[in-house]
Amino acid sequence: MKSLIIISYFLLLTINISIFGQTKALITPTSDSKTGTEAKSDHSETKALKYEEGDVTIDLKIESERLIKLSDKKLKVLNPILLNRKKEATILELQKQFLLAKTAFSKGEYKDSRRLSKEGLDNIETESVNLSKQYEEKYNSYSNELNEKIAQLKNQSETYPISNPNLIAYLNKRIQESGFHFRKAEFLNKSGQNLDSIKFYQLSILELLNGIQKANIEIQTSSREKKENDDNHVKILKIDYLPIEARKDYDDSRNLNHEVQEQKRTKERERIQSLKGSKQSTSVESKESKESEEKTQPKDSN
């Protein structure tokens, strides 16, 4: 959240300079009988977009407004994902292009606004394609890991019975559900809806991580693990049964900022440890007080 505020503040400082420099070079008012005032710019000199000219045209004002709304919607989905990957510079560039399109629209320069929005959407699509590939790789990795955990639990149960007899069925269900979301993501991806596919990639990974977390809890708190390492099973939060990299993907899959979530977890761990410390201190004091009272009690003469 703090990173987004900094980015927004930086945008406010830089966008006016950027707009002045770019729009001065790009925009020269001219008349447009169909849509109002348009701009003759470098964008105008490039190849015309579909329906900008010819027998069949569109209302550029309506179309540019639609693209601005679409860009805003896509950026809201993309920004937290990029922020979790420390790509603040990419967020800044995409936001700047979006604001330039909005500024052109507010001036009635609908052709330039449309073209700026189209360029911005193309850049969003490029980022979405790259992210889709990353999510697919993570899905494959976590799917293999969970299958290995299931095999480990099955072998372990021969010596140490699983505390929850329904655990294996639960883990298999997580694999089944994750596969359903993954196939949906693949379908959208192949249809060119790369950003929309990300939501389903995230859901597929979240299912797998929930399964891995449950499996780790069982494995690390089993009698065998306790025997091998008495401290290995001691975790403060359930999320701690996932390694740090998996926790990042867990937060990302829920579209949450990982750094913010870790800060909350750190405070919660400290709070729980403080409570445990207070209880232990109270218990020791109570025991010492009881022993002291017993020593001061007069012995029975009988």
Side-chain angles (χ1 to χ4, degrees), residues 87-98:
K87 299 186 73 172
E88 287 88 349
T90 302
I91 296 173
L92 188 64
E93 188 60 35
L94 292 173
Q95 289 282 9
K96 186 168 78 170
Q97 200 159 22
F98 170 70

Side-chain angles (χ1 to χ4, degrees), residues 13-25:
L13 292 175
T14 60
I15 195 62
N16 287 333
I17 298 172
S18 177
I19 290 170
F20 177 79
Q22 293 191 38
T23 54
K24 186 175 181 182

Side-chain angles (χ1 to χ4, degrees), residues 133-193:
K133 292 176 182 176
Q134 294 174 24
Y135 279 116
E136 186 174 355
E137 290 174 1
K138 286 182 181 293
Y139 168 84
N140 290 328
S141 175
Y142 286 129
S143 181
N144 290 335
E145 182 177 348
L146 183 52
N147 277 303
E148 289 171 3
K149 299 283 184 187
I150 292 173
Q152 182 180 351
L153 284 166
K154 285 180 177 178
N155 292 331
Q156 178 181 306
S157 63
E158 296 177 3
T159 308
Y160 299 99
I162 297 175
S163 60
N164 180 359
N166 298 319
L167 179 59
I168 298 298
Y170 170 84
L171 298 180
N172 283 324
K173 183 68 174 177
R174 300 286 66 76
I175 289 177
Q176 181 183 349
E177 290 294 323
S178 69
F180 169 78
H181 294 309
F182 181 75
R183 288 189 294 275
K184 177 69 173 176
E186 279 192 315
F187 171 79
L188 291 170
N189 217 359
K190 290 175 181 177
S191 303
Q193 303 174 65

Side-chain angles (χ1 to χ4, degrees), residues 16 67 79 88 116 128 132 157 160 164 181 192 236 243 295:
N16 287 333
L67 292 178
N79 283 350
E88 287 88 349
L116 285 164
S128 301
S132 294
S157 63
Y160 299 99
N164 180 359
H181 294 309
I236 298 175
K295 288 179 181 179

Side-chain angles (χ1 to χ4, degrees), residues 205-302:
I205 290 170
L206 185 60
E207 289 284 358
L208 293 172
L209 289 174
N210 282 331
I212 291 170
Q213 182 190 52
K214 286 282 188 182
N216 284 345
I217 290 173
E218 179 63 33
I219 292 168
Q220 294 181 35
T221 57
S222 68
S223 299
R224 181 179 180 180
E225 286 285 345
K226 287 181 182 179
K227 187 176 181 181
E228 291 176 354
N229 185 354
D230 289 340
D231 294 327
N232 191 48
H233 67 283
V234 178
K235 306 288 184 186
I236 298 175
L237 304 175
K238 285 186 177 181
I239 193 70
D240 293 335
Y241 285 95
L242 289 175
I244 183 64
E245 195 61 36
R247 292 206 296 270
K248 289 180 182 178
D249 292 330
Y250 181 83
D251 293 331
D252 180 70
S253 295
R254 297 187 300 154
N255 230 28
L256 298 173
N257 183 276
H258 173 67
E259 289 186 354
V260 173
Q261 295 306 306
E262 277 298 296
Q263 289 170 5
K264 291 179 180 179
R265 289 172 190 138
T266 298
K267 290 180 180 179
E268 183 64 9
R269 291 185 192 103
E270 291 172 351
R271 186 186 70 82
I272 292 172
Q273 285 179 321
S274 177
L275 286 173
K276 284 183 177 180
S278 297
K279 287 181 179 179
Q280 289 175 352
S281 177
T282 302
S283 177
V284 170
E285 289 176 1
S286 177
K287 184 178 179 180
E288 290 175 349
S289 177
K290 185 176 181 181
E291 289 175 351
S292 177
E293 287 178 5
E294 288 175 351
K295 288 179 181 179
T296 56
Q297 288 288 334
K299 293 182 179 180
D300 193 339
S301 58
N302 292 329

